[in-house]
Amino acid sequence: MTPSDLTECLNTHTGTPRDPCSNPPLHSKSHGQPSQPRPTPLPLCVRDMELITNVTEYEKLAKEKLPKMVYDYYASGAEDQWTLKENREAFSRILFRPRVLIDVSRIDMATNVLGFNISMPIMIAPSAMQKMAHPDGELATARAAASAGTIMTLSSWSTSSVDEVNSVGPGIRFFQLYVYKDRNIVRQLVKRAEMAGFKAIALTVDTPILGRREADIKNRFTLPPHLTLKNFEALDLGTMDKTNDSGLASYVAGQVDRTLSWKDIKWLQTITSLPILVKGVVTAEDTRLAIEYGAAGIIVSNHGARQLDYVPATISCLEEVVREAKGRLPVFLDGGVRRGTDVFKALALGASGVFIGRPVLFSLAVDGEAGVRKVLQMLRDELELTMALSGCTSLREITRAHVITDSDRIGRSRL
């Protein structure tokens, strides 16, 4: 909410604040005066924020507030958007097997990720160009994550630089990386992230080329002219053709290296000592290769359903990856998480934690840092509730026996 929105919410003819969300009666009977027309509805106001009770409500509010081009960029998926829907719907097909008569007066949600202690297994995924959502962009997200005691992953296509994000204060932060044709760009990005205190690299491996996002094509999406990809601003990019209408953003997207292969993980390990998470693995075969090539962890992800359509939901791929990993490295889930129940289901299927993306963007658009804080708090509260009602007092007590999946039902029907 902008200061002008708040001011308009609190305006009053009498000089004293009124309930900004209330409407006057349709008819006024005082002193026989004629009835007055209902005034134009006021902007989003303080009580609207208080009435937000779940994460998904932020998306509708963000759609009303954001320019269509920006909302569509954040919200849309690839092609038919089947996977976009399936990322959510697959969670609804997983049911609970709660245990009862267990003392749940104390519940501990703390965990450890790559040696870093965090307050809960809910972290922030990399999302590009957050200043399109709110003027504070990634800086607000970083502050909210630090306040919640969890990890933020900064997109390399962010509208705030690693140094700017670091300047907001202490926090555990990872840096998302694409590998570019010019490896000198990669070296510079990784070095700057290291110097800014980032603790790990999340290497995106499902994007040798950008997926076909038809909403962006129709909208002719470009980064708004007052914004730039800050991590590239101070780099030596060599000769850059700025004649196209997207400038730096189009240039950078066009520089993603299609030749990226598993051997490049070994190359990355020669230029950084930071642990490397591989983001975009959805199969057992690639899990084996990630382990073979020395990945520190796997993020099961389909890029928010923005790359290849008709791949399964990430929650549907999770157990295959976990089984192949056999505890040799942590496996995380990214995609479709909107409830604390979703977090519990992912943990029950073997995830060490989850990352959330769109909920952060939509809450950031609606209410800046406060919105992101509220999303993190709501998910934390819902996870705590789910744990209590399932009879779990710590994350290690959440097991496969607490959930029933489609495969379980099929297996039982064959007995």
Side-chain angles (χ1 to χ4, degrees):
M1 180 179 358
T2 65
S4 60
D5 288 346
L6 183 58
T7 300
E8 191 167 353
C9 280
L10 297 177
N11 275 348
T12 176
H13 295 296
T14 63
T16 56
R18 64 175 175 82
D19 180 352
C21 299
S22 65
N23 285 313
L26 283 171
H27 305 287
S28 172
K29 298 182 180 179
S30 58
H31 307 294
Q33 296 297 318
S35 61
Q36 299 297 315
R38 186 187 296 273
T40 302
L42 293 170
L44 195 66
C45 54
V46 174
R47 204 172 78 182
D48 287 317
M49 303 298 183
E50 295 172 351
L51 291 176
I52 294 173
T53 56
N54 64 71
V55 165
T56 57
E57 291 176 354
Y58 276 108
E59 181 169 357
K60 180 181 178 182
L61 296 172
K63 185 175 184 179
E64 294 171 355
K65 186 169 185 177
L66 290 171
K68 183 178 187 301
M69 180 186 76
V70 173
Y71 172 79
D72 286 351
Y73 175 79
Y74 290 151
S76 64
E79 298 186 345
D80 296 330
Q81 303 187 109
W82 182 88
T83 297
L84 182 67
K85 300 182 186 73
E86 179 66 3
N87 269 356
R88 283 295 307 129
E89 291 176 0
F91 276 106
S92 69
R93 298 194 295 272
I94 301 172
L95 306 179
F96 292 122
R97 297 183 69 250
R99 300 297 306 278
V100 297
L101 293 178
I102 296 170
D103 180 354
V104 291
S105 57
R106 293 186 179 182
I107 292 179
D108 180 13
M109 289 178 283
T111 190
N112 185 283
V113 172
L114 301 183
F116 300 101
N117 293 322
I118 57 176
S119 66
M120 58 183 174
I122 303 165
M123 297 162 282
I124 294 180
S127 299
M129 310 176 194
Q130 293 186 19
K131 284 191 176 180
M132 293 195 304
H134 188 276
D136 290 343
E138 295 86 359
L139 306 183
T141 302
R143 289 192 292 264
S147 175
T150 194
I151 292 167
M152 174 200 180
T153 312
L154 182 70
S155 169
S156 58
W157 294 0
S158 58
T159 40
S160 305
S161 71
V162 289
D163 297 310
E164 290 171 329
V165 170
N166 183 51
S167 73
V168 306
I172 305 166
R173 300 177 186 113
F174 296 169
F175 182 69
Q176 178 271 333
L177 180 70
Y178 294 104
V179 171
Y180 302 94
K181 298 170 187 175
D182 183 348
R183 292 298 199 268
N184 185 46
I185 294 175
V186 180
R187 288 189 183 93
Q188 292 178 78
L189 288 170
V190 169
K191 184 66 173 177
R192 289 185 65 191
E194 281 185 329
M195 293 181 67
F198 283 67
K199 304 301 184 185
I201 300 294
L203 176 66
T204 296
V205 297
D206 58 5
T207 313
I209 186 172
L210 292 181
R212 183 177 172 83
R213 303 158 193 175
E214 295 178 1
D216 292 346
I217 296 170
K218 290 179 180 179
N219 293 331
R220 298 186 178 182
F221 174 81
T222 59
L223 183 65
H226 67 286
L227 298 174
T228 188
L229 302 185
K230 283 285 190 174
N231 287 313
F232 295 85
E233 213 172 36
L235 300 187
D236 175 14
L237 298 177
T239 303
M240 173 180 159
D241 178 11
K242 295 186 179 180
T243 59
N244 62 69
D245 61 3
S246 301
L248 180 61
S250 287
Y251 171 81
V252 168
Q255 289 299 305
V256 174
D257 192 353
R258 295 192 192 190
T259 73
L260 181 69
S261 67
W262 288 104
K263 70 181 187 301
D264 289 297
I265 295 180
K266 292 293 188 184
W267 173 76
L268 275 175
Q269 290 167 344
T270 69
I271 68 168
T272 182
S273 60
L274 296 178
I276 298 170
L277 295 165
V278 179
K279 180 178 182 287
V281 169
V282 294
T283 65
E285 296 91 329
D286 284 337
T287 301
R288 286 195 293 273
L289 288 168
I291 294 168
E292 179 183 340
Y293 282 89
I298 287 173
I299 302 175
V300 177
S301 172
N302 53 36
H303 212 108
R306 293 162 66 80
Q307 284 299 100
L308 179 62
D309 202 13
Y310 294 97
V311 297
T314 52
I315 191 66
S316 301
C317 300
L318 176 61
E319 201 163 19
E320 176 183 339
V321 173
V322 168
R323 284 173 176 163
E324 185 60 38
K326 299 182 178 73
R328 290 174 285 180
L329 80 179
V331 176
F332 305 95
L333 177 94
D334 167 54
V337 173
R338 299 294 185 274
R339 286 282 191 183
T341 50
D342 299 335
V343 180
F344 186 100
K345 291 171 183 179
L347 298 176
L349 293 176
S352 295
V354 304
F355 288 86
I356 58 169
R358 287 186 178 95
V360 171
L361 292 171
F362 296 140
S363 59
L364 178 67
V366 172
D367 200 22
E369 178 185 341
V372 181
R373 285 190 186 213
K374 183 163 183 174
V375 156
L376 291 169
Q377 187 62 50
M378 284 192 293
L379 290 174
R380 179 187 176 88
D381 290 346
E382 289 177 5
L383 174 59
E384 183 176 15
L385 176 65
T386 307
M387 289 174 66
L389 295 179
S390 297
C392 300
T393 63
S394 67
L395 302 184
R396 65 179 175 273
E397 293 181 2
I398 301 173
T399 70
R400 183 63 174 80
H402 284 101
V403 293
I404 305 169
T405 65
D406 284 342
S407 61
D408 295 332
R409 288 187 285 272
I410 292 170
R412 289 176 183 178
S413 68
R414 291 174 177 170
L415 295 177

